[in-house]
Amino acid sequence: MALVVIGGVAAGLSAAARARRIDPRLEIVVLEKGPVISLGACGLPYFVEGRIREPEALTVFTPERFRKERNVDVRTGARAISISHPRREVLLESGARVAYEKLIIATGARADTPGISGAGQPHVFHLQTLDDAGRMRDFLRERKPRRAVVIGAGYIGVEAADALRRNDVQVTILERSSHALLRADDLLTAEVRKQLERHRVELRTGVNVAAIEPDRVAGLPCDMVVIAAGFKPNAELAADAGIELGRTGAIRTDDRMETNLRGVFAAGDCAEVLHLVSGRPTWIPLGTTANKCGRVAGANAAGARERFPGIVGTSIVSIFGMGFATTGFSVAEARAEGFAPVVARIEALSRPRYYQGVKTIVELVADRTTRRLLGGCVIGEDGAAGRINVVAAALHARLRVDEFEQLDLAYSPPFAPVWDPLLIAAQQLIKEL
Amino acid sequence: MALVVIGGVAAGLSAAARARRIDPRLEIVVLEKGPVISLGACGLPYFVEGRIREPEALTVFTPERFRKERNVDVRTGARAISISHPRREVLLESGARVAYEKLIIATGARADTPGISGAGQPHVFHLQTLDDAGRMRDFLRERKPRRAVVIGAGYIGVEAADALRRNDVQVTILERSSHALLRADDLLTAEVRKQLERHRVELRTGVNVAAIEPDRVAGLPCDMVVIAAGFKPNAELAADAGIELGRTGAIRTDDRMETNLRGVFAAGDCAEVLHLVSGRPTWIPLGTTANKCGRVAGANAAGARERFPGIVGTSIVSIFGMGFATTGFSVAEARAEGFAPVVARIEALSRPRYYQGVKTIVELVADRTTRRLLGGCVIGEDGAAGRINVVAAALHARLRVDEFEQLDLAYSPPFAPVWDPLLIAAQQLIKEL
């Protein structure tokens, strides 16, 4: 009897690798519906851009290598179509049945854009698979499109816009909501728009696209369209097998990543996790979370006892070289979660002026009652990732802004000013509280 | 009656500025022995290097500007030579007496190299004041020295070596202890040596310099010497007034930065602070700490009630573009502090290989019994400051390595790999525990 993992990307392979480490003799089968495993989908925009030349750079493991090095039975082109938990078996599209003792569901998520007609045309692209990216790259090379519309101003949308612009394509981004980067945050959206406009990419928010016409979208002439809006957990396979989904539509698990069916785990973009700031389940599909949850699911499925505490919702995206990093909640989100948020926003230099410091924006949000930090945002060309990670660590540790203000952060002119922008923001926030 | 601050650099000016903000009507006097205030001494090596052209770039405030903007009576060339607390007055070298109600001692630290003869020669330099740096710069320009010896492999020593090397001077660093960067850490020292050697700077440890001869030091021919070893708190003024010093030789205070004399505070390089990892007082003179303590001292002296929790000993230095960052304790230091340290050291890429990731070394130390993180070290050309700050935040929050391993850190190819080197190091450390 075996551990069967459905899905051969981040969560699935992390789970398989970790299970192998816990139990060197366990039989482990990975079922991957596509042709490749371990795709680093976050690199796809850079393949479209042309920075990455070889698609092989985006896959860490070939099935052969994973098989050989980890002694895991990796099966590509193996699409699971149903799970019978009473029989402990997975039915594949091919008709084959794969028996399991323990099961890990790591089926990921998919683009989901109901209500947009014309999405099947040859000049319309998604950006989720290697095939998507290859098609887009060929189209750019062969058709030399002049004007593109990107639908969706989330991470993939802005990264695609950046990649296309660097290929001399005029780009307009159409976003249904009033916000960019999936965060209810007016100031962040304003900064994203400013940076896009600096590079002559237009962002139009509040635009609901119903149809993609052959030569235009929402009245905008274009010869290329990228759909990067609407993302949905692949949870149907689990739901059909009697596995409970959460309020978010993704698979519900406990902190061991086990579902309501004993011995069946879920991890990655198909599963919910706890948001450590709100204390509620959330669905924020990211590779980092998928890897961590996958490890925990794999460990527990192999007989260890580990837990995944949750996330704080940290992310970063580069838009034409500028980092837009967020963690926790924006002030609007914090309010919606029932906090009494207070926000401070400062601009400071990333390093001393005499050492080429550049403008950095830091926003911090805290709860008025408890003074606990609830979220933050860092925007800048220098050090945004490092700084948002400090805020993320503070959210994990439930630090109050008064504690955060006193953090002993590294200083030396080549790296930071003596008062780090994070600390200046904290001082400002304390004044506001 | 007034608040008098002795010292017009980091701690002193932070104190004065904060006191002004707390009490807009308080009379505040700053007594600075030198000709300038608010010197950013950490920038001096870059002035020597030539990167900074104008010495004005290194002073944030002129006395006039601070006077005008903060309504503070700044007196330069005002050297305090004694404090009479019974009379509540400070005696200046000029013979003048300055009455105080509250006093903040921010007298800093000084180079202290007893036992080195010949330190007064014109080709021998310190690097603590603007005058020192100006003299060194003139000497480089006019005398074009070919070979320099730097005594001391602390921060200033390696920064001076870097600056001289970029001015085409051959440099040898002589360090009395067996370690570089003031940290009992063999691996760190080995990496520092490697990086120095890559740029043809030799580091000799375990060399005790007794005399500087006109043309050589410890047998090494040279036409220039920089003394960057031995640093000592300026605590005599306080001690003579009956203020208690701590075990470290610096002024002892409580967490409000108040000394044993009521109404007399101390902050900055002359004072001890609590080390949050050991729970014991420590003396690690750094500008960041000076600014923070100064603010707290100023607030309390002006009638507020604030506390300074302590530091974790975070620092970073650039050696020919590579960041060497440390926080908390090395394994040897942790052992000396009574912990049962376990260490893990990993090398990983700072970003994905396809996005120009470069080698990053991360070392993490945890206590075997409590699994609490005790310290860390990050070395690399990309992201060392941001990464060490995450460890610093974790030390402040007393995170266990198991919690640290699950930190939700930002990921996107232009900034970091999906498994941040910090998390890989934490995974490795957990295996070792």
Side-chain angles (χ1 to χ4, degrees):
Chain A
M1 291 296 265
L3 165 61
V4 173
V5 179
I6 306 178
V9 196
L13 290 196
S14 292
R18 185 94 173 107
R20 167 58 65 234
R21 182 172 280 279
I22 300 278
D23 183 347
R25 283 186 282 188
L26 185 66
E27 186 189 342
I28 306 176
V29 181
V30 171
L31 305 173
E32 165 56 41
K33 67 178 191 291
V36 299
I37 62 164
S38 74
L39 174 67
C42 302
L44 294 175
Y46 311 103
F47 180 72
V48 171
E49 180 194 329
R51 176 186 294 268
I52 301 173
R53 297 273 167 77
E54 301 302 327
E56 290 73 28
L58 293 176
T59 49
V60 183
F61 287 100
T62 59
E64 295 67 37
R65 197 177 137 209
F66 201 77
R67 235 172 252 143
K68 205 173 150 187
E69 294 185 8
R70 307 294 167 111
N71 184 26
V72 166
D73 178 4
V74 178
R75 306 184 193 170
T76 51
R79 181 186 297 268
I81 56 167
S82 76
I83 297 165
S84 167
H85 192 59
R87 294 189 191 159
R88 302 287 192 279
E89 65 181 30
V90 178
L91 177 63
L92 302 186
E93 200 174 35
S94 65
R97 291 164 194 276
V98 183
Y100 65 81
E101 185 180 8
K102 299 281 173 65
L103 180 66
I104 297 175
I105 300 173
T107 43
R110 66 180 182 277
D112 176 57
T113 44
I116 301 185
S117 68
Q121 298 168 82
H123 72 302
V124 181
F125 301 88
H126 286 92
L127 192 45
Q128 208 189 350
T129 66
L130 214 44
D131 187 54
D132 291 339
R135 275 210 317 128
M136 208 187 292
R137 189 119 196 83
D138 292 345
F139 188 86
L140 283 172
R141 205 176 290 147
E142 291 158 18
R143 301 293 194 84
K144 306 212 181 312
R146 290 175 46 232
R147 284 172 297 196
V149 163
V150 173
I151 302 174
Y155 298 99
I156 300 170
V158 298
E159 286 170 345
D162 178 318
L164 293 175
R165 193 72 198 83
R166 289 176 198 255
N167 278 273
D168 287 323
V169 182
Q170 299 270 24
V171 184
T172 304
I173 304 177
L174 304 180
E175 164 64 35
R176 185 166 42 186
S177 79
S178 57
H179 293 112
L181 304 184
L182 315 171
R183 187 174 172 101
D185 188 335
D186 291 340
L187 291 167
L188 176 66
T189 298
E191 294 298 328
V192 168
R193 176 174 280 125
K194 227 187 273 177
Q195 174 71 351
L196 288 169
E197 284 174 358
R198 233 173 253 138
H199 294 267
R200 286 174 296 142
V201 170
E202 192 192 352
L203 169 62
R204 298 192 187 176
T205 49
V207 180
N208 202 357
V209 174
I212 299 171
E213 294 165 70
D215 62 345
R216 64 191 58 231
V217 175
L220 286 167
C222 64
D223 37 23
M224 179 178 186
V225 179
V226 179
I227 302 180
F231 215 56
K232 190 176 167 168
N234 289 324
E236 293 81 357
L237 183 71
D240 290 348
I243 294 170
E244 277 177 23
L245 307 188
R247 189 174 58 100
T248 66
I251 300 169
R252 171 184 292 170
T253 73
D254 62 15
D255 65 357
R256 301 178 65 236
M257 305 312 298
E258 196 167 19
T259 68
N260 62 310
L261 299 185
R262 275 299 275 286
V264 179
F265 301 79
D269 290 357
C270 63
E272 290 186 337
V273 293
L274 198 67
H275 198 299
L276 291 171
V277 180
S278 69
R280 280 194 271 269
T282 188
W283 184 64
I284 303 178
L286 287 173
T288 45
T289 304
N291 275 320
K292 290 196 195 86
C293 293
R295 263 174 71 88
V296 170
N300 290 327
R305 201 165 169 86
E306 296 190 357
R307 58 184 288 275
F308 180 70
I311 62 160
V312 296
T314 312
S315 61
I316 190 167
V317 66
S318 169
I319 305 178
F320 299 107
M322 183 171 288
F324 290 79
T326 58
T327 190
F329 295 126
S330 71
V331 69
E333 292 168 344
R335 195 171 292 123
E337 291 285 345
F339 293 101
V342 178
V343 65
R345 180 191 177 92
I346 61 106
E347 281 189 24
L349 291 178
S350 62
R351 312 186 228 181
R353 191 178 303 280
Y354 64 71
Y355 217 108
Q356 293 80 54
V358 295
K359 190 177 94 168
T360 299
I361 295 173
V362 178
E363 191 171 277
L364 291 176
V365 178
D367 182 61
R368 187 181 293 283
T369 317
T370 61
R371 301 175 74 91
R372 182 182 152 206
L373 279 178
L374 301 175
C377 171
V378 180
I379 302 172
E381 288 177 342
D382 178 31
R387 291 192 169 98
I388 205 67
N389 284 342
V390 175
V391 184
L395 295 183
H396 274 266
R398 305 175 76 89
L399 292 191
R400 287 176 304 113
V401 61
D402 316 270
E403 296 166 304
F404 189 85
E405 185 204 17
Q406 300 290 2
L407 287 181
D408 187 8
L409 302 181
Y411 161 56
S412 175
F415 304 99
V418 66
W419 285 114
D420 194 276
L422 289 175
L423 303 185
I424 297 173
Q427 290 172 2
Q428 186 59 38
L429 184 51
I430 286 171
K431 284 184 207 158
E432 311 283 340
L433 274 164
Chain B
M1 295 295 266
L3 165 62
V4 172
V5 180
I6 306 178
V9 196
L13 290 196
S14 292
R18 185 93 172 108
R20 169 56 66 234
R21 182 171 280 279
I22 301 278
D23 183 348
R25 281 187 282 189
L26 185 66
E27 187 190 340
I28 307 176
V29 180
V30 171
L31 305 172
E32 166 55 42
K33 67 177 191 291
V36 299
I37 62 164
S38 75
L39 174 67
C42 302
L44 294 174
Y46 310 102
F47 180 71
V48 171
E49 179 194 329
R51 177 187 293 267
I52 301 174
R53 298 273 167 78
E54 302 302 328
E56 291 73 28
L58 293 176
T59 49
V60 183
F61 286 101
T62 60
E64 295 67 38
R65 197 178 137 211
F66 201 77
R67 234 172 253 142
K68 203 172 152 190
E69 293 185 8
R70 306 296 166 109
N71 184 26
V72 167
D73 178 3
V74 178
R75 306 184 193 169
T76 51
R79 182 187 296 269
I81 57 169
S82 77
I83 298 166
S84 168
H85 191 59
R87 293 190 191 158
R88 301 288 192 279
E89 65 182 30
V90 178
L91 176 64
L92 302 186
E93 200 175 34
S94 66
R97 291 164 193 277
V98 184
Y100 66 80
E101 185 180 8
K102 298 283 173 64
L103 180 67
I104 297 175
I105 300 173
T107 44
R110 66 180 182 277
D112 175 57
T113 45
I116 300 185
S117 68
Q121 298 168 81
H123 72 301
V124 182
F125 300 88
H126 286 92
L127 193 45
Q128 208 190 348
T129 66
L130 213 44
D131 188 53
D132 292 339
R135 276 210 316 126
M136 208 188 292
R137 189 117 197 83
D138 292 346
F139 187 88
L140 284 171
R141 205 176 291 146
E142 291 158 18
R143 301 294 194 85
K144 305 210 183 315
R146 290 175 43 232
R147 285 171 297 196
V149 163
V150 173
I151 303 174
Y155 297 99
I156 299 171
V158 298
E159 285 170 345
D162 179 319
L164 293 175
R165 193 73 198 83
R166 291 178 197 253
N167 278 272
D168 287 323
V169 182
Q170 299 271 23
V171 185
T172 304
I173 304 177
L174 304 180
E175 164 64 36
R176 185 166 40 185
S177 79
S178 58
H179 292 113
L181 303 185
L182 314 171
R183 187 173 171 102
D185 188 335
D186 292 340
L187 290 167
L188 175 66
T189 298
E191 293 298 329
V192 168
R193 177 173 280 124
K194 226 186 276 176
Q195 174 71 352
L196 288 169
E197 284 174 356
R198 233 173 254 139
H199 295 268
R200 287 174 295 142
V201 170
E202 193 191 350
L203 168 62
R204 296 191 188 177
T205 48
V207 180
N208 200 357
V209 174
I212 298 170
E213 294 164 70
D215 62 346
R216 64 191 58 229
V217 174
L220 285 168
C222 64
D223 37 22
M224 180 177 187
V225 180
V226 179
I227 302 180
F231 215 58
K232 190 176 165 166
N234 290 324
E236 294 82 357
L237 184 72
D240 291 348
I243 293 170
E244 276 177 24
L245 307 187
R247 191 174 58 99
T248 66
I251 300 170
R252 171 185 292 169
T253 73
D254 62 14
D255 66 356
R256 302 178 63 236
M257 305 313 297
E258 195 167 19
T259 68
N260 62 309
L261 300 185
R262 275 299 277 285
V264 179
F265 300 80
D269 289 359
C270 63
E272 289 185 336
V273 293
L274 198 68
H275 197 300
L276 291 171
V277 180
S278 68
R280 280 194 271 271
T282 189
W283 183 64
I284 303 177
L286 286 174
T288 43
T289 305
N291 276 321
K292 289 196 196 85
C293 294
R295 264 173 70 88
V296 170
N300 290 327
R305 199 165 172 89
E306 295 190 357
R307 58 183 289 274
F308 181 69
I311 62 159
V312 296
T314 313
S315 61
I316 189 166
V317 64
S318 169
I319 306 179
F320 299 107
M322 183 172 288
F324 290 78
T326 58
T327 190
F329 295 126
S330 71
V331 69
E333 292 168 343
R335 195 171 293 123
E337 292 284 345
F339 294 101
V342 178
V343 64
R345 180 191 176 92
I346 61 105
E347 282 187 24
L349 291 179
S350 61
R351 312 186 229 179
R353 190 178 304 278
Y354 63 72
Y355 217 108
Q356 292 79 54
V358 295
K359 190 177 94 168
T360 299
I361 295 173
V362 178
E363 191 172 276
L364 290 177
V365 179
D367 183 62
R368 189 181 293 283
T369 318
T370 60
R371 301 174 76 91
R372 182 183 151 205
L373 278 178
L374 301 175
C377 171
V378 180
I379 302 171
E381 290 177 341
D382 178 30
R387 291 192 169 99
I388 206 67
N389 284 342
V390 175
V391 184
L395 295 183
H396 273 267
R398 305 175 77 90
L399 291 192
R400 287 177 302 113
V401 60
D402 315 271
E403 296 167 304
F404 189 85
E405 185 204 16
Q406 299 292 2
L407 288 181
D408 187 8
L409 303 181
Y411 162 55
S412 174
F415 305 99
V418 66
W419 285 113
D420 193 276
L422 290 174
L423 303 184
I424 297 173
Q427 290 171 2
Q428 186 59 38
L429 184 52
I430 287 171
K431 284 184 205 157
E432 310 284 340
L433 274 163

